Amino acid sequence: MIENENLMLNKEFVNNFSEVESAVEDMSKRLSDLESLLDAASAQLQDSRNNTHEVLEKARKLNLHKKHTVEKKEVLDLFSSRFILPLEDEARIRNSDSPIDEDFFKSLKQLHRIRIEARRMLDELNDSDSTRTIGGVVADASSTPSSTSQEGNSHDELKGAFHYDAALAVDILHQTSDLQEIAYERIFVWIQRQCKELITVADDSEAEEEVSRRIRKGLQVIRHRTVYFNHSAKEISRVRRQLLMQRFHETLTKGGPTSRPIDIHAYDIVRYTNDMLAWIHEQVAAEREFFIQTFSEDDEETEGRSPCGDSDNTSSGEKPMVWWEGLGTALSGVAEHLRHKIDVAVTGGYANLPRTASGSANDDTSIRAESFRGDLRSRARSNSIWDDTIGHGPGPVELFKVSKLLSFFEITLRPLVLPADATDDIVVEEPLLAILSDLGTQTHRSFLDAWEAQAQAIRSTSTYLLSASSSLHDLSPPAFVENTVHSLEEILTIFQESHTMLWGVAGKDSQTDEERAQAELFPILAGALDPLLQFCQQISTAMAKGDAPVFMLNCLAAMQEPLLRFPFTSQRVTMLHSLIEDQMNELIKEHSESTLRQLGLAEMLRQLSEGKDIDPMTLSACFRGFYTALFNISGALSIPAIDRLSDRSLRSQARQGVCLQIADAYEKVYNYAAEHFPDVHASHSPDSVRALLDV
């Protein structure tokens, strides 16, 4: 029974398992079908992969190429912005019909920047190549054979890239150099036209300033093209020279808005010269500013330029023109015209022109130079002797003033027309300073000639002998002596003031200049005083013996008095002082002897010197007469000739000398009487007499 149950269970299990088996078989069949489908899909997928691989590879390559293309575009854009001039800028430079304006200069500035970048790239490549060459030499000494070939290939690649970049930089410089030359040539021609326009707008200050600004702009651009720059600078200097000549002529003949024509004062050589020099001084200051601004370098225009790229200084050997050379050319025409005007004035060509009322000077330099000019009354007094003797042309005082004016303006204009470090060769070549120096020398020579001619006229003119007849009465210096001394005093005053100003301006050594001043004054003093001394001595020979020393002392004192106020006349003062002492001794001797003769003391002294005895009665009479004269104001001791001495100190010295001689003579006679004739009454002792005579 148990077995049947087991059999039944097994049969049931078998029946149930058959269903499972059929299900498993069905699943297995389905799995087989699925596997077949998967194999088919895998095969199809593999086929699809095989088919799309080329497309993906092409897409990857295209993406990579696109990336490289974008990078190249960025590099090209950067390269173009740095090394390629835009077409509109190039057309603006090349087209001769396009105006030269601010846009043109901006385009040219862009061209300069491109050339600077190319030159900088070339310099950097040269520096890197030098560094790489040195590094390669060091590496070769320590490299192994296996690495030599790899490094050699890398070095060849770098070397090839270097040559390509260097060639590119050179090509850029070469291509832009032609364009730059076109621009420079156009600017050069444009500057010539602007110079012509500058002449046409000379009457309009605003238009002239605008044209000058454009000229400065163009000149700064071509500064490193020496040939173009120098030709343009010379043309500018020539135009400024023409403008200054035109203005100078108008100022001389027509005057300015607030000033009268300078030529109306041509008869007055001092004012005429001063007005012309003051106008030139004013113009020099303005022209100096113009040329400094025009010839100066603009940092924005010249920044980064190297001499080898944008300058032809080295190749041509020509130096660029500097501002003081241009200024000298501009002033040369006015300087030559000034020379002609002063030459005519010095020779007396304007002396006969009608005289007009003088106006006041407005220029500061004219005011400062006013110290050289005396008033009309003083000048008339100084020139009276010249008019009486020579009678034509400017007098020596006027010529001396003009020579000092020229020297003064030569010193004051030097720092304006030349740089502070100018050498002596540059100073000599400066036209205006050279002409002022020549005019000063010539005018001073004319002054010395006129001074000597006046002295010769005094020696040879009989008119002055007649004019000195009044001096025979009052023993005063003749009028021509006073006029000559006044002229000399005026000259010395001008000389001292001019040297004081010139020392302050030039800062010269005082000791050296004092010696030079004495040497310069020597012919002036000799030309004035020597003929006066000779003439006064000639006049004194016609006078009484007692009056001649008084006359000579008055003349010598008049000559010495103005010299005492000046430091450069000490030698001449010493000489005149010696002559005064000689004449004073002569005066004291003559009037002492005359007074002693009147008092009777001279005869007694003669008898005493001869050893003869004197009569007591004669002694008593002599003492009485002496005492009477001693207390009588109008007696023999009054000596009226001494009172005619014009100088108080000389009068006192002469009176003291005569009284001293009288007191000494009285003492000798008094001692003789006291020794030999005690009975003779002498009421005053020698000391009392000395006290009464105040000696």
Side-chain angles (χ1 to χ4, degrees), residues 4 15-16 20 44 69 224 231 234 250 275 280 351 362 373 417 436 480 490 516 535 613 641:
N4 289 330
N15 291 331
N16 292 333
V20 173
Q44 292 178 359
T69 302
H224 291 279
H231 277 81
K234 291 176 182 178
E250 291 177 353
D275 289 348
I280 291 175
N362 296 324
R373 303 169 55 194
V417 300
L436 288 177
F480 72 87
E490 193 172 359
R516 187 182 295 112
F535 203 75
D613 294 333

Side-chain angles (χ1 to χ4, degrees), residues 2-157:
I2 294 172
E3 292 178 356
N4 289 330
E5 290 179 0
N6 287 334
L7 180 62
M8 290 296 291
L9 290 171
N10 288 331
K11 286 181 178 180
E12 185 178 359
F13 176 77
V14 170
N15 291 331
N16 292 333
F17 187 77
S18 61
E19 295 178 359
V20 173
E21 182 180 9
S22 62
V24 171
E25 289 177 355
D26 185 56
M27 180 63 68
S28 176
K29 183 179 179 182
R30 290 182 179 182
L31 289 175
S32 297
D33 295 339
L34 181 60
E35 184 177 0
S36 299
L37 292 174
L38 290 174
D39 290 339
S42 176
Q44 292 178 359
L45 181 61
Q46 185 64 34
D47 291 340
S48 175
R49 183 178 297 172
N50 292 334
N51 293 331
T52 59
H53 176 71
E54 295 179 0
V55 176
L56 292 175
E57 183 65 23
K58 289 181 180 179
R60 186 184 65 80
K61 290 181 179 180
L62 288 175
N63 287 331
L64 184 61
H65 184 266
K66 178 182 179 182
K67 182 179 179 181
H68 290 167
T69 302
V70 171
E71 292 178 353
K72 288 181 180 180
K73 183 178 182 301
E74 293 176 353
V75 172
L76 287 175
D77 291 340
L78 180 60
F79 180 84
S80 299
S81 64
R82 293 183 60 184
F83 298 103
I84 297 179
L85 187 68
L87 294 178
E88 59 271 16
D89 291 333
E90 182 177 354
R92 189 177 292 116
I93 293 175
R94 288 186 180 276
N95 188 4
S96 59
D97 295 332
S98 63
I100 297 181
D101 50 12
E102 291 298 327
D103 292 336
F104 176 87
F105 286 111
K106 289 180 181 178
S107 299
L108 184 58
K109 185 176 181 180
Q110 184 73 2
L111 178 63
H112 289 161
R113 186 193 58 77
I114 291 173
R115 291 180 59 82
I116 291 171
E117 293 288 346
R119 195 174 298 109
R120 185 179 299 162
M121 181 176 70
L122 188 60
D123 293 339
E124 291 176 355
L125 290 173
N126 290 331
D127 294 340
S128 62
D129 182 60
S130 300
T131 304
R132 187 167 55 253
T133 301
I134 296 174
V137 173
V138 175
D140 289 342
S142 59
S143 61
T144 60
S146 61
S147 62
T148 301
S149 60
Q150 297 177 357
E151 293 179 356
N153 294 333
S154 176
H155 179 71
D156 292 339
E157 293 177 358

Side-chain angles (χ1 to χ4, degrees), residues 347-599:
T347 56
Y350 301 132
N352 296 325
L353 292 178
R355 298 172 180 261
T356 60
S358 61
S360 60
N362 296 324
D363 189 81
D364 291 340
T365 308
S366 175
I367 295 175
R368 188 178 182 187
E370 190 67 23
S371 59
F372 290 121
R373 303 169 55 194
D375 57 22
L376 294 177
R377 183 181 304 173
S378 174
R379 187 176 303 171
R381 182 181 178 186
S382 301
N383 289 339
S384 62
I385 186 172
W386 173 262
D387 295 336
D388 293 340
T389 55
I390 308 300
H392 62 83
V397 175
E398 292 178 329
L399 292 175
F400 187 76
K401 290 180 180 180
V402 171
S403 68
K404 290 305 174 184
L405 269 174
L406 293 168
S407 299
F408 171 76
F409 276 95
E410 178 188 356
I411 297 299
T412 55
L413 286 174
R414 176 171 175 173
L416 293 179
V417 300
L418 292 175
D421 57 349
T423 62
D424 293 338
D425 294 337
I426 296 177
V427 174
V428 171
E429 294 175 357
E430 210 291 320
L432 179 59
L433 296 182
I435 287 178
L436 288 177
S437 178
D438 292 343
L439 285 174
T441 303
Q442 294 173 8
T443 308
H444 188 72
R445 189 180 300 114
S446 299
F447 155 72
L448 293 178
D449 293 341
W451 200 241
E452 179 62 24
Q454 179 175 289
Q456 292 291 344
I458 291 176
R459 295 189 186 100
S460 59
T461 303
S462 59
T463 304
Y464 284 98
L465 288 174
L466 298 177
S467 66
S469 59
S470 61
S471 299
L472 298 175
H473 302 288
D474 58 5
L475 305 182
S476 62
F480 72 87
V481 173
E482 294 180 349
N483 291 338
T484 303
V485 170
H486 180 79
S487 299
L488 179 61
E489 181 180 7
E490 193 172 359
I491 288 174
L492 293 176
T493 302
I494 297 168
F495 184 86
Q496 184 179 27
E497 292 177 353
S498 65
H499 272 69
T500 301
M501 286 189 291
L502 292 180
W503 286 347
V505 173
K508 298 180 180 179
D509 180 66
S510 58
Q511 183 176 1
T512 304
D513 275 283
E514 184 173 352
E515 296 175 355
R516 187 182 295 112
Q518 291 180 355
E520 183 179 350
L521 282 177
F522 179 80
I524 299 175
L525 295 174
L529 299 180
D530 291 349
L532 287 184
L533 287 173
Q534 181 180 358
F535 203 75
C536 291
Q537 289 172 353
Q538 184 179 357
I539 295 175
S540 66
T541 57
M543 295 182 176
K545 195 172 183 180
D547 293 340
V550 176
F551 172 75
M552 288 300 300
L553 283 172
N554 286 334
C555 293
L556 290 172
M559 298 177 197
Q560 186 189 45
E561 191 272 333
L563 303 183
L564 296 174
R565 299 196 297 270
F566 302 100
F568 311 120
T569 57
S570 57
Q571 296 179 355
R572 184 63 61 165
V573 169
T574 302
M575 186 201 75
L576 291 176
H577 182 71
S578 176
L579 294 176
I580 289 175
E581 287 184 349
D582 294 340
Q583 293 296 326
M584 180 60 69
N585 293 334
E586 181 68 21
L587 174 66
I588 292 174
K589 177 182 177 182
E590 179 63 30
H591 285 279
S592 297
E593 293 177 353
S594 175
T595 304
L596 291 175
R597 283 196 300 270
Q598 294 179 22
L599 296 174

Side-chain angles (χ1 to χ4, degrees), residues 94-357:
R94 288 186 180 276
N95 188 4
S96 59
D97 295 332
S98 63
I100 297 181
D101 50 12
E102 291 298 327
D103 292 336
F104 176 87
F105 286 111
K106 289 180 181 178
S107 299
L108 184 58
K109 185 176 181 180
Q110 184 73 2
L111 178 63
H112 289 161
R113 186 193 58 77
I114 291 173
R115 291 180 59 82
I116 291 171
E117 293 288 346
R119 195 174 298 109
R120 185 179 299 162
M121 181 176 70
L122 188 60
D123 293 339
E124 291 176 355
L125 290 173
N126 290 331
D127 294 340
S128 62
D129 182 60
S130 300
T131 304
R132 187 167 55 253
T133 301
I134 296 174
V137 173
V138 175
D140 289 342
S142 59
S143 61
T144 60
S146 61
S147 62
T148 301
S149 60
Q150 297 177 357
E151 293 179 356
N153 294 333
S154 176
H155 179 71
D156 292 339
E157 293 177 358
L158 292 174
K159 187 174 182 181
F162 163 76
H163 286 300
Y164 176 79
D165 293 340
L168 181 61
V170 172
D171 288 342
I172 293 172
L173 291 174
H174 178 71
Q175 292 174 4
T176 55
S177 63
D178 295 337
L179 191 60
Q180 184 176 244
E181 287 300 322
I182 293 174
Y184 284 159
E185 185 174 354
R186 288 193 61 194
I187 292 175
F188 172 72
V189 176
W190 177 75
I191 290 177
Q192 311 302 311
R193 293 198 299 266
Q194 295 299 312
C195 289
K196 294 179 181 179
E197 184 178 354
L198 188 63
I199 299 177
T200 61
V201 299
D203 297 333
D204 189 347
S205 59
E206 294 183 359
E208 181 182 355
E209 178 61 28
E210 176 61 24
V211 174
S212 300
R213 186 193 65 80
R214 294 199 296 264
I215 290 176
R216 286 195 293 267
K217 180 74 173 179
L219 202 63
Q220 288 167 357
V221 171
I222 64 172
R223 180 173 183 82
H224 291 279
R225 279 289 187 264
T226 307
V227 175
Y228 286 150
F229 177 81
N230 284 349
H231 277 81
S232 300
K234 291 176 182 178
E235 179 65 17
I236 293 171
S237 301
R238 186 192 65 80
V239 171
R240 300 303 298 185
R241 180 181 185 273
Q242 182 177 348
L243 289 176
L244 281 177
M245 284 284 293
Q246 179 180 344
R247 292 172 183 170
F248 189 44
H249 179 72
E250 291 177 353
T251 303
L252 290 175
T253 57
K254 300 179 181 179
T258 59
S259 61
R260 305 176 68 184
I262 295 178
D263 276 346
I264 65 174
H265 302 294
Y267 63 88
D268 184 351
I269 185 175
V270 179
R271 174 166 184 173
Y272 190 50
T273 304
N274 178 74
D275 289 348
M276 289 190 293
L277 290 175
W279 184 89
I280 291 175
H281 186 280
E282 181 181 358
Q283 296 301 315
V284 166
E287 291 298 312
R288 167 189 167 89
E289 187 68 21
F290 170 82
F291 277 97
I292 288 179
Q293 292 180 0
T294 303
F295 283 42
S296 63
E297 292 193 34
D298 189 347
D299 295 337
E300 294 183 359
E301 295 292 340
T302 60
E303 182 180 1
R305 298 188 200 175
S306 63
C308 62
D310 285 346
S311 175
D312 58 359
N313 296 350
T314 305
S315 60
S316 65
E318 184 178 1
K319 294 182 178 180
M321 195 171 179
V322 290
W323 66 265
W324 58 86
E325 294 176 344
L327 179 60
T329 302
L331 296 174
S332 60
V334 173
E336 289 294 341
H337 199 48
L338 175 70
R339 181 202 293 273
H340 170 71
K341 288 289 185 179
I342 293 182
D343 285 342
V344 175
V346 168
T347 56
Y350 301 132
N352 296 325
L353 292 178
R355 298 172 180 261
T356 60

